[in-house]
mmCIF file of all heavy atoms in Angstrom:
data_model
loop_
_atom_site.group_PDB
_atom_site.id
_atom_site.type_symbol
_atom_site.label_atom_id
_atom_site.label_comp_id
_atom_site.label_asym_id
_atom_site.label_seq_id
_atom_site.Cartn_x
_atom_site.Cartn_y
_atom_site.Cartn_z
ATOM 1 N N ILE A 1 0.828 -1.210 0.000
ATOM 2 C CA ILE A 1 0.000 0.000 0.000
ATOM 3 C C ILE A 1 0.858 1.254 0.000
ATOM 4 O O ILE A 1 0.620 2.208 -0.751
ATOM 5 C CB ILE A 1 -0.961 -0.002 1.206
ATOM 6 C CG1 ILE A 1 -2.032 -1.082 1.028
ATOM 7 C CG2 ILE A 1 -1.608 1.372 1.385
ATOM 8 C CD1 ILE A 1 -2.944 -1.252 2.223
ATOM 9 N N ASP A 2 1.901 1.266 0.842
ATOM 10 C CA ASP A 2 2.730 2.461 0.989
ATOM 11 C C ASP A 2 3.540 2.784 -0.264
ATOM 12 O O ASP A 2 4.041 3.905 -0.409
ATOM 13 C CB ASP A 2 3.678 2.300 2.175
ATOM 14 C CG ASP A 2 2.934 2.244 3.504
ATOM 15 O OD1 ASP A 2 1.819 2.803 3.571
ATOM 16 O OD2 ASP A 2 3.464 1.660 4.465
ATOM 17 N N ALA A 3 3.683 1.823 -1.166
ATOM 18 C CA ALA A 3 4.446 2.057 -2.398
ATOM 19 C C ALA A 3 3.584 2.601 -3.525
ATOM 20 O O ALA A 3 4.113 3.005 -4.572
ATOM 21 C CB ALA A 3 5.115 0.761 -2.846
ATOM 22 N N THR A 4 2.269 2.645 -3.335
ATOM 23 C CA THR A 4 1.362 2.988 -4.436
ATOM 24 C C THR A 4 1.489 4.439 -4.876
ATOM 25 O O THR A 4 1.665 4.728 -6.068
ATOM 26 C CB THR A 4 -0.087 2.685 -4.033
ATOM 27 O OG1 THR A 4 -0.206 1.298 -3.725
ATOM 28 C CG2 THR A 4 -1.040 3.034 -5.157
ATOM 29 N N PHE A 5 1.399 5.371 -3.958
ATOM 30 C CA PHE A 5 1.458 6.784 -4.352
ATOM 31 C C PHE A 5 2.846 7.171 -4.875
ATOM 32 O O PHE A 5 2.934 7.932 -5.860
ATOM 33 C CB PHE A 5 1.008 7.675 -3.202
ATOM 34 C CG PHE A 5 -0.492 7.744 -3.046
ATOM 35 C CD1 PHE A 5 -1.235 6.623 -2.725
ATOM 36 C CD2 PHE A 5 -1.177 8.935 -3.245
ATOM 37 C CE1 PHE A 5 -2.612 6.676 -2.599
ATOM 38 C CE2 PHE A 5 -2.558 9.012 -3.120
ATOM 39 C CZ PHE A 5 -3.277 7.866 -2.802
ATOM 40 N N PRO A 6 3.941 6.669 -4.294
ATOM 41 C CA PRO A 6 5.248 6.911 -4.920
ATOM 42 C C PRO A 6 5.353 6.341 -6.336
ATOM 43 O O PRO A 6 6.019 6.926 -7.195
ATOM 44 C CB PRO A 6 6.229 6.205 -3.970
ATOM 45 C CG PRO A 6 5.562 6.253 -2.640
ATOM 46 C CD PRO A 6 4.099 6.068 -2.949
ATOM 47 N N GLU A 7 4.677 5.217 -6.580
ATOM 48 C CA GLU A 7 4.686 4.634 -7.922
ATOM 49 C C GLU A 7 3.936 5.534 -8.912
ATOM 50 O O GLU A 7 4.368 5.710 -10.057
ATOM 51 C CB GLU A 7 4.054 3.243 -7.878
ATOM 52 C CG GLU A 7 3.953 2.529 -9.217
ATOM 53 C CD GLU A 7 5.293 2.054 -9.771
ATOM 54 O OE1 GLU A 7 6.350 2.477 -9.257
ATOM 55 O OE2 GLU A 7 5.289 1.281 -10.748
ATOM 56 N N ILE A 8 2.835 6.112 -8.475
ATOM 57 C CA ILE A 8 2.096 7.056 -9.325
ATOM 58 C C ILE A 8 2.961 8.280 -9.618
ATOM 59 O O ILE A 8 3.025 8.760 -10.755
ATOM 60 C CB ILE A 8 0.775 7.469 -8.655
ATOM 61 C CG1 ILE A 8 -0.143 6.243 -8.498
ATOM 62 C CG2 ILE A 8 0.072 8.566 -9.456
ATOM 63 C CD1 ILE A 8 -1.341 6.479 -7.604
ATOM 64 N N LEU A 9 3.647 8.781 -8.597
ATOM 65 C CA LEU A 9 4.540 9.922 -8.787
ATOM 66 C C LEU A 9 5.628 9.587 -9.802
ATOM 67 O O LEU A 9 5.982 10.416 -10.646
ATOM 68 C CB LEU A 9 5.175 10.309 -7.442
ATOM 69 C CG LEU A 9 6.023 11.582 -7.438
ATOM 70 C CD1 LEU A 9 5.126 12.812 -7.399
ATOM 71 C CD2 LEU A 9 6.988 11.602 -6.253
ATOM 72 N N ARG A 10 6.142 8.375 -9.750
ATOM 73 C CA ARG A 10 7.236 7.962 -10.632
ATOM 74 C C ARG A 10 6.840 8.046 -12.105
ATOM 75 O O ARG A 10 7.619 8.521 -12.940
ATOM 76 C CB ARG A 10 7.662 6.531 -10.297
ATOM 77 C CG ARG A 10 8.790 5.996 -11.188
ATOM 78 C CD ARG A 10 9.061 4.534 -10.946
ATOM 79 N NE ARG A 10 7.974 3.659 -11.392
ATOM 80 C CZ ARG A 10 7.761 3.319 -12.663
ATOM 81 N NH1 ARG A 10 8.548 3.793 -13.625
ATOM 82 N NH2 ARG A 10 6.753 2.520 -12.981
ATOM 83 N N VAL A 11 5.637 7.586 -12.443
ATOM 84 C CA VAL A 11 5.256 7.517 -13.857
ATOM 85 C C VAL A 11 4.794 8.859 -14.409
ATOM 86 O O VAL A 11 4.644 9.010 -15.623
ATOM 87 C CB VAL A 11 4.168 6.443 -14.099
ATOM 88 C CG1 VAL A 11 4.645 5.084 -13.610
ATOM 89 C CG2 VAL A 11 2.841 6.816 -13.453
ATOM 90 N N LEU A 12 4.582 9.838 -13.547
ATOM 91 C CA LEU A 12 4.174 11.168 -13.988
ATOM 92 C C LEU A 12 5.367 12.007 -14.424
ATOM 93 O O LEU A 12 6.439 11.952 -13.818
ATOM 94 C CB LEU A 12 3.444 11.897 -12.863
ATOM 95 C CG LEU A 12 1.925 11.822 -12.818
ATOM 96 C CD1 LEU A 12 1.413 12.483 -11.545
ATOM 97 C CD2 LEU A 12 1.295 12.467 -14.039
ATOM 98 N N LYS A 13 5.144 12.825 -15.435
ATOM 99 C CA LYS A 13 6.150 13.812 -15.824
ATOM 100 C C LYS A 13 6.209 14.911 -14.757
ATOM 101 O O LYS A 13 5.195 15.192 -14.097
ATOM 102 C CB LYS A 13 5.782 14.442 -17.168
ATOM 103 C CG LYS A 13 5.753 13.476 -18.334
ATOM 104 C CD LYS A 13 5.288 14.165 -19.611
ATOM 105 C CE LYS A 13 5.216 13.185 -20.772
ATOM 106 N NZ LYS A 13 4.712 13.817 -22.010
ATOM 107 N N PRO A 14 7.357 15.555 -14.567
ATOM 108 C CA PRO A 14 7.391 16.729 -13.682
ATOM 109 C C PRO A 14 6.360 17.760 -14.132
ATOM 110 O O PRO A 14 6.238 18.056 -15.318
ATOM 111 C CB PRO A 14 8.825 17.247 -13.861
ATOM 112 C CG PRO A 14 9.610 16.033 -14.234
ATOM 113 C CD PRO A 14 8.685 15.213 -15.108
ATOM 114 N N GLY A 15 5.592 18.262 -13.194
ATOM 115 C CA GLY A 15 4.507 19.183 -13.512
ATOM 116 C C GLY A 15 3.212 18.497 -13.869
ATOM 117 O O GLY A 15 2.187 19.157 -14.063
ATOM 118 N N GLY A 16 3.229 17.151 -13.934
ATOM 119 C CA GLY A 16 2.030 16.398 -14.272
ATOM 120 C C GLY A 16 1.016 16.383 -13.141
ATOM 121 O O GLY A 16 1.346 16.659 -11.978
ATOM 122 N N SER A 17 -0.217 16.043 -13.470
ATOM 123 C CA SER A 17 -1.324 16.092 -12.510
ATOM 124 C C SER A 17 -1.794 14.698 -12.112
ATOM 125 O O SER A 17 -1.787 13.769 -12.921
ATOM 126 C CB SER A 17 -2.512 16.852 -13.102
ATOM 127 O OG SER A 17 -2.158 18.188 -13.395
ATOM 128 N N PHE A 18 -2.231 14.595 -10.874
ATOM 129 C CA PHE A 18 -2.839 13.387 -10.325
ATOM 130 C C PHE A 18 -4.208 13.790 -9.791
ATOM 131 O O PHE A 18 -4.313 14.613 -8.884
ATOM 132 C CB PHE A 18 -1.957 12.823 -9.217
ATOM 133 C CG PHE A 18 -2.508 11.635 -8.482
ATOM 134 C CD1 PHE A 18 -3.254 10.656 -9.130
ATOM 135 C CD2 PHE A 18 -2.267 11.472 -7.121
ATOM 136 C CE1 PHE A 18 -3.748 9.554 -8.444
ATOM 137 C CE2 PHE A 18 -2.748 10.377 -6.430
ATOM 138 C CZ PHE A 18 -3.490 9.416 -7.092
ATOM 139 N N VAL A 19 -5.267 13.243 -10.392
ATOM 140 C CA VAL A 19 -6.638 13.645 -10.055
ATOM 141 C C VAL A 19 -7.364 12.468 -9.425
ATOM 142 O O VAL A 19 -7.410 11.372 -10.002
ATOM 143 C CB VAL A 19 -7.396 14.140 -11.302
ATOM 144 C CG1 VAL A 19 -8.802 14.601 -10.921
ATOM 145 C CG2 VAL A 19 -6.620 15.281 -11.969
ATOM 146 N N VAL A 20 -7.923 12.698 -8.239
ATOM 147 C CA VAL A 20 -8.540 11.639 -7.443
ATOM 148 C C VAL A 20 -10.003 11.962 -7.176
ATOM 149 O O VAL A 20 -10.349 13.081 -6.780
ATOM 150 C CB VAL A 20 -7.812 11.477 -6.089
ATOM 151 C CG1 VAL A 20 -8.508 10.431 -5.226
ATOM 152 C CG2 VAL A 20 -6.352 11.103 -6.301
ATOM 153 N N LEU A 21 -10.858 10.961 -7.387
ATOM 154 C CA LEU A 21 -12.277 11.044 -7.040
ATOM 155 C C LEU A 21 -12.626 9.802 -6.237
ATOM 156 O O LEU A 21 -12.305 8.687 -6.643
ATOM 157 C CB LEU A 21 -13.139 11.097 -8.309
ATOM 158 C CG LEU A 21 -14.661 11.007 -8.144
ATOM 159 C CD1 LEU A 21 -15.194 12.244 -7.443
ATOM 160 C CD2 LEU A 21 -15.336 10.819 -9.500
ATOM 161 N N ASP A 22 -13.262 9.987 -5.064
ATOM 162 C CA ASP A 22 -13.622 8.807 -4.283
ATOM 163 C C ASP A 22 -14.787 9.129 -3.354
ATOM 164 O O ASP A 22 -15.146 10.291 -3.138
ATOM 165 C CB ASP A 22 -12.430 8.291 -3.483
ATOM 166 C CG ASP A 22 -12.443 6.777 -3.303
ATOM 167 O OD1 ASP A 22 -13.525 6.160 -3.463
ATOM 168 O OD2 ASP A 22 -11.386 6.194 -3.004
ATOM 169 N N HIS A 23 -15.353 8.058 -2.797
ATOM 170 C CA HIS A 23 -16.484 8.176 -1.878
ATOM 171 C C HIS A 23 -15.989 8.645 -0.506
ATOM 172 O O HIS A 23 -15.064 8.058 0.055
ATOM 173 C CB HIS A 23 -17.178 6.821 -1.724
ATOM 174 C CG HIS A 23 -17.591 6.187 -3.020
ATOM 175 N ND1 HIS A 23 -18.711 6.576 -3.712
ATOM 176 C CD2 HIS A 23 -17.017 5.192 -3.745
ATOM 177 C CE1 HIS A 23 -18.821 5.838 -4.813
ATOM 178 N NE2 HIS A 23 -17.806 4.995 -4.858
ATOM 179 N N ARG A 24 -16.616 9.664 0.032
ATOM 180 C CA ARG A 24 -16.172 10.273 1.281
ATOM 181 C C ARG A 24 -16.604 9.462 2.503
ATOM 182 O O ARG A 24 -17.766 9.038 2.609
ATOM 183 C CB ARG A 24 -16.731 11.685 1.411
ATOM 184 C CG ARG A 24 -16.181 12.475 2.610
ATOM 185 C CD ARG A 24 -16.926 13.806 2.764
ATOM 186 N NE ARG A 24 -16.877 14.600 1.548
ATOM 187 C CZ ARG A 24 -15.904 15.466 1.262
ATOM 188 N NH1 ARG A 24 -14.904 15.640 2.110
ATOM 189 N NH2 ARG A 24 -15.955 16.158 0.138
ATOM 190 N N ALA A 25 -15.655 9.260 3.413
ATOM 191 C CA ALA A 25 -15.952 8.734 4.746
ATOM 192 C C ALA A 25 -15.846 9.887 5.733
ATOM 193 O O ALA A 25 -15.234 10.925 5.445
ATOM 194 C CB ALA A 25 -14.977 7.628 5.117
ATOM 195 N N SER A 26 -16.426 9.717 6.901
ATOM 196 C CA SER A 26 -16.370 10.753 7.929
ATOM 197 C C SER A 26 -14.918 11.057 8.298
ATOM 198 O O SER A 26 -14.047 10.181 8.238
ATOM 199 C CB SER A 26 -17.124 10.296 9.178
ATOM 200 O OG SER A 26 -18.473 10.033 8.888
ATOM 201 N N ALA A 27 -14.661 12.300 8.680
ATOM 202 C CA ALA A 27 -13.322 12.697 9.098
ATOM 203 C C ALA A 27 -12.848 11.814 10.250
ATOM 204 O O ALA A 27 -13.584 11.583 11.208
ATOM 205 C CB ALA A 27 -13.314 14.165 9.515
ATOM 206 N N GLY A 28 -11.630 11.329 10.146
ATOM 207 C CA GLY A 28 -11.068 10.498 11.190
ATOM 208 C C GLY A 28 -11.338 9.015 11.041
ATOM 209 O O GLY A 28 -10.828 8.209 11.828
ATOM 210 N N THR A 29 -12.128 8.637 10.029
ATOM 211 C CA THR A 29 -12.409 7.220 9.796
ATOM 212 C C THR A 29 -11.128 6.498 9.386
ATOM 213 O O THR A 29 -10.394 6.993 8.537
ATOM 214 C CB THR A 29 -13.468 7.054 8.691
ATOM 215 O OG1 THR A 29 -14.673 7.701 9.084
ATOM 216 C CG2 THR A 29 -13.753 5.576 8.419
ATOM 217 N N PRO A 30 -10.825 5.338 9.967
ATOM 218 C CA PRO A 30 -9.612 4.613 9.586
ATOM 219 C C PRO A 30 -9.617 4.270 8.099
ATOM 220 O O PRO A 30 -10.671 4.019 7.507
ATOM 221 C CB PRO A 30 -9.676 3.341 10.441
ATOM 222 C CG PRO A 30 -10.563 3.686 11.585
ATOM 223 C CD PRO A 30 -11.559 4.665 11.050
ATOM 224 N N ALA A 31 -8.429 4.247 7.503
ATOM 225 C CA ALA A 31 -8.311 3.948 6.082
ATOM 226 C C ALA A 31 -8.859 2.570 5.734
ATOM 227 O O ALA A 31 -9.324 2.346 4.606
ATOM 228 C CB ALA A 31 -6.848 4.051 5.652
ATOM 229 N N THR A 32 -8.843 1.663 6.678
ATOM 230 C CA THR A 32 -9.334 0.308 6.441
ATOM 231 C C THR A 32 -10.816 0.271 6.103
ATOM 232 O O THR A 32 -11.317 -0.765 5.643
ATOM 233 C CB THR A 32 -9.069 -0.580 7.663
ATOM 234 O OG1 THR A 32 -9.573 0.080 8.841
ATOM 235 C CG2 THR A 32 -7.574 -0.825 7.846
ATOM 236 N N SER A 33 -11.528 1.391 6.285
ATOM 237 C CA SER A 33 -12.944 1.438 5.908
ATOM 238 C C SER A 33 -13.114 1.186 4.419
ATOM 239 O O SER A 33 -14.195 0.790 3.969
ATOM 240 C CB SER A 33 -13.556 2.799 6.266
ATOM 241 O OG SER A 33 -12.957 3.841 5.494
ATOM 242 N N GLY A 34 -12.039 1.393 3.655
ATOM 243 C CA GLY A 34 -12.113 1.144 2.223
ATOM 244 C C GLY A 34 -12.445 -0.294 1.903
ATOM 245 O O GLY A 34 -13.050 -0.583 0.861
#
């Protein structure tokens, strides 16, 4: 899991964009709710 976002950063060009859309959980909800 911890390698996923660095992997996304790796394949992007400098200045490139990463756009995320997801279902909202309440603030403070553990990530495992996914």
Side-chain angles (χ1 to χ4, degrees):
I1 291 174
D2 294 334
T4 300
F5 281 64
E7 178 71 347
I8 296 168
L9 186 78
R10 179 187 69 78
V11 303
L12 266 174
K13 297 176 182 178
S17 299
F18 175 36
V19 182
V20 177
L21 172 67
D22 212 341
H23 306 282
R24 187 187 304 272
S26 300
T29 300
T32 51
S33 65

